[in-house]
Amino acid sequence: MREMRPHVFSVVPRLPERLKPLEELAYNLLFAWNLDIGRIFRRVSEDLWAETYHNPVLMLSRLSQDRIRELENDDAFLANLERTYRAFREYLERPAFGRKDIPGDMTIAYFSAEYGITDCMPSYFGGLGILAGDTLKSASDLNLPFVGVGLLYQYGAFKQRLTSEGEQIETIPELDFYHLPIKLLRDQKGDPILIEVPTDHQRLYAQIWLAQVGRVPLYLLDANIPQNPPEFRQATFYPYPDDRRLRLLQEVLLGIGGMRALKVMGIEPSILHMNEGHSALAGLERIRVLRQEKGLSFDEALILVMASNVFTTHTSVPAAIDLFSPELIKAFFGSYVEELGINMDAFLGLGRRNPDDPNEPFCMNILAMKLSGNINAVSKLHMEVSKKLWHDLWPNIPESDVPISSITNGVHVPSWVSRQMAETFDRFLGPKWIEDPDNVKVWSRADEIPDEEIWGVHERRRGRLIAFCRRRLREQLKMRGATLREIDMVDEVLNAEALTIVWAKRMVSYKRPLLIFKDLDRLARILTDPKRPVQIIMAGKAHPNDNEGKRLLKELMAIIREEPFRRHVVFIEDYDMNVARFMVQGADVWLNTPIRPQEACGTSGMKAMFNGALHLSVLDGWWDEAYDPGVGWAIGGREEYVDPRYREEVESRELYTLLENEIVPLFYDRGPDGIPRKWVRRMKAAIRELGARFNSNNMIQRYLEECYLKAHRYLEELIQDDMRGVKELSSWYRKVSRLWEKVRVVKVIQESPPELKAGEPLKVKALVDLGGLDPEEVRVDLYYGPLGPGGEMKQRRIARMELLGTEEGVWAFSISLPSEETGRFGYYVRVTPYHPYLIPTHYALGLLVTWG
C-alpha cells in the first residue's frame, strides 16, 4: 500500500475582541526588545512566559479560558494593553529617524544563513546569526527599507548536556513552526506559496514563512514539505550540513531560492547584502533575471550586480572557507549556466582564486567577492587579516590596497541591556539612547549617572546571575543523577558579592578557554583570597564534530570538579541567548582569550560593556580598536609569536599579573559606603567612550552611508537612459581587457634631484605606452610614501598625474608634489583603467594594473 498522507488543518487560539491586540503583538518579534511588550506578556502569565521560553504564540495557545476571562475583566490590564498597543502601532508607522536622504525606490535585501532574534526561535548557531538578528532590529528601529532572507530549520540549535565526566551530549529539538511567532504565506486559494530552484536534474521546492521583525519582514524558506523527495526535505533540517551535496543544496535554496521568494512577494531589491558567502548564489540569480528580463549580456548584468552588491566577510582562517568540488558544481549547474550566458569553465572561474586551475575547488566566498563592488570585514584588524587572506585575488596590487574595507560590528543595545540598566539610562541619558544610540552626546551623559545608582543596578544583576547559576547547577546535577548531598552543596558555590569573571563563547581551540587555567596554583591563590575572593563563570558549546573542542570541555570540567575550584568556578550548560543575557548583564569582568588575530570581531564583550562590565581581552577583533587603559584591560600587545607555547606562557602570566596587581585590588578598593568608586569610574568611562561606536545602529548607519546609498546612486547612473551607462561600460571593459597586456610604463624620469630640501617639489614624468587605448581610458598615478628600514613602503599616498601629450611616440604624464615631510620616500607610477561609470575603486578590475 502506498504511503498515505493525512489531510491537514490548523487550530489557532480564540481571544475575545478586547484581547485581540495580543495576537498582533505576538506575531511581531518586536517583543524581543521592547520592554513594554515584554511586560504585557509576562503579566498575562509569568509562569507560561518562562515555560514557553518567551514565546507569546505558544503561551496564548496554552492560556486557560479562566485566565482569558480574568484578563478580559481586568481594567488595569486592558488599559495597559491599550497603551502598549497604541505605542506599538506608532512605532510601526513612524517615519525614518533623522534620515531624509533615503531614496523612495531603494530596497535592501539582507541574506544570512542564520538569525538570532529571540529565545523561542533557536535558528542561530553562533555570532554570525546574533549579528544578523541585531542588524534587522536596528534596521527596524531606523525604519530603513530592509527585508531579510534566510532559511527556516526544522531542528533548532542543539541542546548541550554534560555527563559527570565532562562528555558533551547533544540533543536537537524539533521546532513546531505553527506555535512560533511566524506565519506561513498563502496564495488567494489558501495554499502555501511555493518557489522552486534548480538542482542536479531535479527541482527543489520550498514554502515561505514570514517573521515580522518590528518593521522589517524576514522571509524564511522551508523545504521540509511533501512536494520534495526525502533527501531534498533535509535541505532545511539543520544548518551547515557536513554532506557537501546537501550543503550545496542548502546554499542554492538560500541564494537562488531567496531571490525567487522576493520575486514572488513582489520585491525587487536595488541593494543585495550578503552576510558571509553562504548566500553568494543570490548574486548569480540577479544576473540571470537581468538577462532574462532586460535582455542584457552576462558582462552587462555583472556590472549592474557588482555595482549594487555588498558582501560582508567573517572568515579569519582558511579552514573556515566553504569549498565545493568542481564535479559537484558541474552536476548542479549545467542548465543554469546556460541561462547565465557563459560556459562552465567561466562559471567555475568565478569561484576560484586561479580561474585557469581545473582542479581548484569552487569557493562561495570568492564568488561573493567577484560579484560585489563593496566588500567589508567586521573590524579594522579583521580587514588587515582579510586583505592578507584574499590578496591573491588581486595579485597585481600591494596587499594594503586590496579593496576590502572595514565596518566594525555592533550590538543592538535594547536587546541586551537589563531592564534595570535600561531604566537607569532612561533617567540619566534620556530616551535617545534607544532612538539614537550612535549619538555621542547621548553616551557622554554616562558620567551623570550617580555612582550609587549604577553600582546598585550592577550589584543586583550580579546577584541575579549568581541565583540563576545556582538554579541551573541544581538542574544539571539532577540530570547527571547526583545525590541530594551534592545538589544541596550548590548553595556553597559562588558568592553574590565576589568579583565575577565571565568567559562565555563557542568552545573552540582558538578561543582558548583554558588559558586562565594555565597555572592552577597561581589561579587558586587568586580565587580563594578570603578578603578579596574571585569567581569564574563559564559557558560554551563545542560543535558536535569538533573533537578538540570537546576535549577542552572535558579538561575544563575535570579542573572544576577539584578543590579549591569547585566553589569558585562553574560551567553553565547549554549556552544560548537567554543564558547570554544573564551573563552579560551580571559580569564584573568579561574575559576574552582568543589567539590573535583569529577573532574576526567578537561582540559578546560589547553586550557586557553596555551593562557595566569591564573588558579583559587579547587585542583581537573589536578590542584591538576599542582598547584604552581607562575602559578595560589588554592581555599582551600586538606581538606576533612563532612558538604558540611561548605565547601561551607570556599571555597567561600577563593575565594573572593583571588580576593580581590591577583588577582585583581595584574592585575591592572600597570607601566607607562600600562602593568601588575608581572601578565605577571605569564602568562609566567605557559606556561613555565606547557606547556610540559599538552598537548596531551605528554599524548599519555606516553601511547605509558607505555602501547602500553610494551603490544605489551608482546603480541609478548606470541604468538611466535605457541602461546607457551599463552598455558603454561593458563595451569599454571588453576593449580594455583585450588591449591591456600592451600597456606598459616605458620610462620614469625624476626631474628633481635625488635629495630635496623640505618644501621643494618632487617632479616626476612618466612615458606610457597605452597599447591602443586613449589617455581618457586610463588613470596614471604617482603611488608614493615613506619607506621603512627595509625599503618597504610604510604608508601609501596616491596623486593623479596630468597628461602632457605625446613624447617619443608615447603618452607623457607628469606631476609636481611639494615635499612637506622629511625622511626617506619611495614611489611608483601606476596605470589603471578608467571610465566615468566604473565602480568607484581603483581596483574594480583588479588584474588590470600596470606599474613602473
Side-chain angles (χ1 to χ4, degrees):
M1 178 179 171
R2 67 182 178 86
E3 180 187 358
M4 294 288 290
R5 291 198 181 103
H7 300 283
V8 176
F9 66 98
S10 302
V11 179
V12 296
R14 175 188 289 179
L15 292 176
E17 197 61 35
R18 301 180 77 182
L19 299 180
K20 281 286 185 186
L22 287 173
E23 287 185 0
E24 193 172 342
L25 293 173
Y27 278 100
N28 192 309
L29 295 172
L30 184 61
F31 68 76
W33 74 94
N34 183 289
L35 292 177
D36 292 333
I37 298 175
R39 287 191 191 99
I40 280 288
F41 286 123
R42 278 194 300 277
R43 192 164 169 184
V44 168
S45 174
E46 185 84 41
D47 291 341
L48 278 177
W49 184 242
E51 285 174 22
T52 60
Y53 226 54
H54 310 149
N55 180 348
V57 172
L58 181 58
M59 183 184 76
L60 292 178
S61 74
R62 292 183 179 177
L63 213 56
S64 69
Q65 287 301 311
D66 287 344
R67 180 57 181 154
I68 290 174
R69 280 191 290 271
E70 286 176 8
L71 293 171
E72 190 182 14
N73 294 297
D74 185 337
D75 290 339
F77 173 81
L78 292 172
N80 193 5
L81 175 60
E82 184 182 351
R83 283 194 302 273
T84 302
Y85 180 71
R86 186 166 58 245
F88 165 73
R89 294 305 313 174
E90 288 171 358
Y91 171 89
L92 296 183
E93 294 157 11
R94 191 170 65 219
F97 180 77
R99 304 292 316 202
K100 307 205 183 294
D101 56 345
I102 299 174
D105 59 345
M106 184 168 79
T107 301
I108 303 147
Y110 184 87
F111 280 67
S112 181
E114 52 177 287
Y115 290 90
I117 298 171
T118 186
D119 305 342
C120 64
M121 291 180 62
S123 296
Y124 56 92
F125 304 87
L128 180 80
I130 299 298
L131 170 74
D134 281 7
T135 298
L136 294 197
K137 291 172 183 177
S138 279
S140 172
D141 287 345
L142 293 167
N143 201 5
L144 298 182
F146 239 69
V147 56
V149 179
L151 301 177
L152 185 62
Y153 301 108
Q154 188 65 65
Y155 297 90
F158 73 86
K159 310 288 285 182
Q160 177 196 53
R161 186 168 70 83
L162 302 183
T163 68
S164 56
E165 290 78 31
E167 297 280 358
Q168 176 175 285
I169 297 173
E170 302 105 15
T171 55
I172 304 178
E174 185 173 2
L175 303 182
D176 176 6
F177 299 159
Y178 292 90
H179 279 128
L180 290 179
I182 58 178
K183 290 185 176 180
L184 180 62
L185 298 181
R186 301 177 182 274
D187 60 22
Q188 292 180 339
K189 298 178 182 177
D191 297 324
I193 297 173
L194 298 182
I195 57 102
E196 60 179 87
V197 295
T199 66
D200 48 350
H201 312 299
Q202 297 185 71
R203 310 297 286 178
L204 170 66
Y205 296 90
Q207 58 190 11
I208 308 168
W209 296 77
L210 171 65
Q212 192 66 40
V213 187
R215 301 180 177 107
V216 174
L218 169 59
Y219 296 105
L220 300 170
L221 302 181
D222 168 22
N224 187 17
I225 56 177
Q227 289 85 346
N228 287 323
E231 64 272 18
F232 277 22
R233 296 177 71 157
Q234 295 179 47
T236 52
F237 274 15
Y238 312 101
Y240 318 126
D242 294 324
D243 179 270
R244 303 314 294 169
R245 182 175 180 276
L246 195 56
R247 173 78 71 95
L248 183 55
L249 195 66
Q250 191 174 90
E251 298 192 2
V252 167
L253 180 59
L254 175 61
I256 298 175
M259 287 301 298
R260 294 186 180 185
L262 293 179
K263 188 77 171 174
V264 167
M265 302 312 301
I267 298 169
E268 294 193 18
S270 53
I271 306 296
L272 175 61
H273 188 160
M274 297 173 285
N275 189 38
E276 251 309 345
H278 313 113
S279 54
L281 293 168
L284 287 179
E285 178 66 4
R286 292 188 81 192
I287 291 174
R288 188 194 69 81
V289 171
L290 284 168
R291 280 181 43 75
Q292 183 184 71
E293 297 185 355
K294 306 294 184 184
L296 301 180
S297 68
F298 177 85
D299 288 342
E300 290 168 342
L302 175 61
I303 286 167
L304 276 183
V305 166
M306 284 186 68
S308 53
N309 274 6
V310 179
F311 174 58
T312 298
T313 175
H314 297 256
T315 305
S316 295
V317 292
I321 298 171
D322 217 0
L323 301 174
F324 297 96
S325 71
E327 293 72 28
L328 189 59
I329 295 294
K330 289 175 184 177
F332 261 73
F333 294 103
S335 59
Y336 190 81
V337 166
E338 293 177 12
E339 295 183 56
L340 293 174
I342 56 177
N343 60 35
M344 182 56 73
D345 287 341
F347 181 87
L348 288 166
L350 290 170
R352 287 173 168 160
R353 293 177 187 264
N354 178 6
D356 297 324
D357 181 357
N359 299 313
E360 183 182 335
F362 188 89
C363 175
M364 289 296 175
N365 295 62
I366 292 175
L367 174 64
M369 283 187 273
K370 289 186 177 181
L371 296 180
S372 300
N374 304 273
I375 309 169
N376 74 279
V378 292
S379 70
K380 290 180 180 177
L381 179 59
H382 182 232
M383 175 183 69
E384 301 305 319
V385 172
S386 299
K387 286 173 182 280
K388 185 184 296 291
L389 182 61
W390 301 111
H391 183 201
D392 53 359
L393 292 178
W394 293 271
N396 297 335
I397 63 175
E399 184 182 293
S400 59
D401 286 356
V402 169
I404 299 176
S405 64
S406 75
I407 295 180
T408 303
N409 288 342
V411 300
H412 185 252
V413 186
S415 292
W416 298 105
V417 294
S418 67
R419 289 203 299 274
Q420 294 92 333
M421 188 64 80
E423 289 163 358
T424 302
F425 288 167
D426 281 342
R427 286 199 299 277
F428 296 99
L429 307 185
K432 284 193 174 182
W433 75 269
I434 293 180
E435 298 173 354
D436 193 12
D438 56 337
N439 189 321
V440 174
K441 288 183 180 178
V442 168
W443 298 105
S444 67
R445 300 189 193 114
D447 286 332
E448 298 175 17
I449 305 173
D451 291 355
E452 298 81 0
E453 181 80 19
I454 196 169
W455 184 246
V457 167
H458 187 68
E459 288 217 290
R460 287 194 293 277
R461 291 309 309 187
R462 188 194 318 113
R464 289 198 65 178
L465 170 60
I466 302 309
F468 169 78
C469 287
R470 287 175 177 164
R471 188 165 65 247
R472 288 292 288 262
L473 286 170
R474 290 189 190 96
E475 293 170 4
Q476 291 171 197
L477 288 169
K478 287 177 184 176
M479 290 288 289
R480 294 176 200 159
T483 65
L484 283 176
R485 181 176 175 278
E486 289 174 317
I487 295 171
D488 289 342
M489 287 176 67
V490 167
D491 291 334
E492 302 173 18
V493 173
L494 302 179
N495 176 348
E497 297 181 355
L499 171 61
T500 301
I501 300 170
V502 174
W503 186 101
K505 41 196 61 74
R506 280 190 300 126
M507 191 66 56
V508 62
S509 58
Y510 85 85
K511 292 182 183 283
R512 296 191 296 181
L514 300 184
L515 186 69
I516 197 170
F517 298 98
K518 186 76 175 174
D519 185 336
L520 293 178
D521 291 337
R522 193 172 178 184
L523 178 61
R525 290 194 296 273
I526 294 170
L527 297 180
T528 59
D529 185 325
K531 294 183 179 178
R532 302 188 305 188
V534 178
Q535 58 200 9
I536 302 171
I537 299 172
M538 303 187 73
K541 298 175 179 179
H543 188 279
N545 296 334
D546 183 2
N547 292 326
E548 176 61 15
K550 290 183 177 182
R551 185 195 66 77
L552 291 170
L553 189 52
K554 194 172 181 179
E555 188 175 338
L556 171 64
M557 296 306 294
I559 294 169
I560 290 175
R561 283 198 302 269
E562 300 299 321
E563 295 291 352
F565 302 106
R566 189 182 61 78
R567 291 177 175 82
H568 300 275
V569 184
V570 300
F571 183 87
I572 301 302
E573 296 175 9
D574 203 30
Y575 184 48
D576 61 9
M577 288 181 75
N578 187 48
V579 173
R581 267 194 299 274
F582 276 99
M583 291 190 166
V584 300
Q585 292 171 7
D588 294 308
V589 173
W590 194 264
L591 178 63
N592 191 37
T593 51
I595 298 172
R596 187 180 193 271
Q598 294 186 30
E599 184 94 280
C601 184
T603 56
S604 58
M606 300 176 193
K607 302 177 183 88
M609 174 269 294
F610 280 107
N611 284 283
L614 296 178
H615 203 49
L616 168 61
S617 175
V618 171
L619 288 172
D620 201 4
W622 78 287
W623 195 236
D624 186 67
E625 62 196 81
Y627 169 69
D628 179 271
V631 301
W633 296 275
I635 302 168
R638 296 180 173 89
E639 305 88 357
E640 293 186 8
Y641 294 90
V642 176
D643 185 348
R645 288 175 296 183
Y646 179 65
R647 176 182 55 219
E648 298 270 314
E649 285 294 334
V650 170
E651 293 183 349
S652 63
R653 285 200 301 269
E654 180 150 357
L655 172 54
Y656 295 133
T657 300
L658 283 170
L659 288 170
E660 292 164 340
N661 297 343
E662 293 191 39
I663 296 171
V664 176
L666 189 68
F667 182 83
Y668 286 104
D669 180 10
R670 311 289 176 99
D673 56 5
I675 296 174
R677 295 195 180 270
K678 292 179 182 177
W679 184 279
V680 171
R681 194 181 307 150
R682 284 199 184 210
M683 290 169 60
K684 293 195 284 190
I687 293 170
R688 180 188 69 238
E689 298 299 323
L690 306 179
R693 292 165 60 194
F694 297 104
N695 65 79
S696 53
N697 280 40
N698 178 59
M699 174 192 74
I700 205 166
Q701 296 250 38
R702 287 194 61 197
Y703 276 115
L704 182 66
E705 290 156 10
E706 297 173 28
C707 300
Y708 303 153
L709 288 173
K710 288 181 180 178
H712 188 82
R713 286 192 292 267
Y714 180 46
L715 186 67
E716 286 186 325
E717 285 182 26
L718 290 176
I719 64 176
Q720 66 185 359
D721 299 331
D722 195 27
M723 301 215 174
R724 178 170 56 88
V726 173
K727 292 169 182 174
E728 277 188 26
L729 194 55
S730 178
S731 174
W732 168 85
Y733 175 68
R734 287 193 296 272
K735 175 185 175 183
V736 169
S737 299
R738 187 179 73 254
L739 297 177
W740 193 262
E741 62 181 19
K742 299 177 183 177
V743 174
R744 61 192 181 96
V745 178
V746 177
K747 189 186 298 185
V748 178
I749 304 161
Q750 184 170 314
E751 297 179 321
S752 50
E755 186 171 284
L756 302 174
K757 290 186 170 56
E760 290 182 348
L762 170 69
K763 297 180 179 179
V764 177
K765 182 163 67 173
L767 303 183
V768 183
D769 183 352
L770 295 181
L773 294 175
D774 296 327
E776 297 79 18
E777 294 178 304
V778 300
R779 173 170 168 157
V780 180
D781 296 304
L782 194 72
Y783 184 103
Y784 68 104
L787 299 179
E792 74 284 357
M793 196 174 284
K794 295 192 295 184
Q795 301 171 359
R796 60 103 172 98
R797 299 161 193 169
I798 299 168
R800 192 163 190 171
M801 301 180 75
E802 293 183 7
L803 175 66
L804 295 178
T806 57
E807 194 171 313
E808 299 181 21
V810 293
W811 294 100
F813 297 82
S814 71
I815 193 168
S816 178
L817 284 175
S819 52
E820 297 171 347
E821 302 174 40
T822 60
R824 187 163 168 257
F825 295 81
Y827 65 85
Y828 302 94
V829 171
R830 184 192 67 180
V831 187
T832 53
Y834 175 78
H835 190 281
Y837 290 127
L838 191 62
I839 292 173
T841 169
H842 295 305
Y843 301 118
L845 310 178
L847 298 177
L848 306 185
V849 183
T850 298
W851 299 88

